[in-house]
Amino acid sequence: QVQLVESGGGLVQAGGSLRLSCASSGRIYNSYAMAWFRQAPGKERSFVAAIKWRGGHTYYADSVKGRFTISRDNSENTVYLQMNSLKPEDTAIYYCAADYGAITSTLRTETAYDYWGQGTQVTVST
């Protein structure tokens, strides 16, 4: 069983940075992919970034490419999201998710993920 706990959210000014962490209570095996999704007020949850545990291949939404970086610490079963050059439109609840199938074609799809964290709020002020 995998339980995910996010941390690192908060309030930051536009142009600033935040680093989110997602720790798993269980081991993340090489067959997994880990991802970050976000949900802004009044909007559906959307894909932000994903990383395959085997090989560390990364995938990003166009809206965050070049500003956000997803990474992992295999020994700590933790995934990170470094967010730079934050914009007010990045304001959302950020969720961590784990997919034990890690099929490339479905990594951006919410329904592919088997485990979810409780979310952490990120607010970017103007």
Side-chain angles (χ1 to χ4, degrees):
Q1 185 73 8
V2 171
Q3 292 184 325
L4 305 174
V5 178
E6 303 99 333
S7 61
L11 173 65
V12 64
Q13 287 189 328
S17 299
L18 280 176
R19 188 193 195 202
L20 305 183
S21 299
C22 173
S24 171
S25 62
R27 180 181 173 184
I28 303 298
Y29 293 91
N30 282 335
S31 58
Y32 276 72
M34 300 290 289
W36 291 94
F37 285 75
R38 66 186 181 185
Q39 187 168 19
K43 295 187 177 181
E44 294 185 350
R45 192 154 54 183
S46 63
F47 171 79
V48 176
I51 186 167
K52 287 192 174 183
W53 220 248
R54 177 187 286 117
H57 302 289
T58 58
Y59 308 83
Y60 295 94
D62 288 342
S63 59
V64 306
K65 201 172 295 184
R67 299 188 298 123
F68 291 10
T69 302
I70 188 170
S71 62
R72 75 201 195 291
D73 184 328
N74 295 47
S75 63
E76 296 293 329
N77 294 306
T78 300
V79 63
Y80 303 97
L81 186 68
Q82 178 66 43
M83 305 185 294
N84 298 329
S85 302
L86 282 161
K87 305 174 181 180
E89 50 263 44
D90 294 318
T91 295
I93 300 174
Y94 283 71
Y95 296 91
C96 175
D99 167 19
Y100 63 72
I103 299 172
T104 303
S105 61
T106 62
L107 287 178
R108 300 169 188 268
T109 306
E110 184 178 349
T111 55
Y113 289 82
D114 307 286
Y115 304 100
W116 291 84
Q118 82 289 349
T120 185
Q121 176 71 46
V122 171
T123 303
V124 184
S125 64
T126 55

